[in-house]
Amino acid sequence: MVGITEKLENALDKMVQEWAFSQPSVINREMPCVGHHHYSRRHKLLRWDIKNIIPLTEKQHRLVHNGKMDYKCHNKDYLKSMVNKDYKDWLLENNLTNDLFVVQKYNEWRKRLHKC
């Protein structure tokens, strides 16, 4: 049985892609786009962080993953600092549980997409 947190995580993944679809590519301003994660989705602190989502066309996304294209990332220092943080320690430092973190991110993305 799928829990509420997992449902929210799935909804968040869809919202990230919905946002990316409405953005121009960082490479050549073409549309529509998919949301490429500069750091893999497995890094939970960055999975739904807009600074980690790079709008690319589907073709560009394929080329990036195949190592045949690159893009300029404007948030490298921030992303590097976040990717090196331990998720559980970060939650404790911010007085959050995993469930509350996911709900917080869900609410942020709802506001961003004007779904309130």
Side-chain angles (χ1 to χ4, degrees):
M1 187 164 151
V2 177
I4 188 70
T5 300
E6 190 174 341
K7 286 180 183 178
L8 290 178
E9 289 176 348
N10 291 335
L12 275 162
D13 291 338
K14 289 178 184 172
M15 284 191 267
V16 164
Q17 294 308 318
E18 181 180 340
W19 172 82
F21 188 80
S22 69
Q23 303 300 305
S25 164
V26 298
I27 293 174
N28 63 2
R29 313 287 297 160
E30 284 183 22
M31 292 177 76
C33 288
V34 297
H36 170 71
H37 291 79
H38 183 75
Y39 282 102
S40 167
R41 291 170 19 133
R42 78 173 185 271
H43 299 286
K44 200 142 186 189
L45 280 176
L46 293 173
R47 182 172 177 175
W48 306 293
D49 189 325
I50 197 164
K51 294 176 183 171
N52 189 47
I53 310 301
I54 312 299
L56 300 170
T57 66
E58 286 189 33
K59 180 179 180 182
Q60 292 164 350
H61 193 230
R62 249 187 336 274
L63 291 170
V64 164
H65 277 280
N66 291 335
K68 295 182 179 179
M69 182 177 273
D70 202 3
Y71 56 85
K72 183 169 177 74
C73 180
H74 298 283
N75 303 302
K76 280 185 183 177
D77 292 339
Y78 165 79
L79 294 173
K80 190 165 185 125
S81 74
M82 292 300 285
V83 79
N84 289 325
K85 292 184 187 277
D86 180 80
Y87 179 64
K88 290 179 182 178
D89 288 343
W90 186 91
L91 289 175
L92 286 171
E93 290 168 11
N94 289 277
N95 203 28
L96 292 171
T97 64
N98 179 64
D99 292 346
L100 287 174
F101 172 74
V102 172
V103 167
Q104 186 180 69
K105 286 296 181 181
Y106 179 79
N107 289 332
E108 286 175 20
W109 277 94
R110 281 182 51 89
K111 284 180 187 174
R112 182 172 286 117
L113 296 174
H114 307 292
K115 293 184 177 237
C116 298

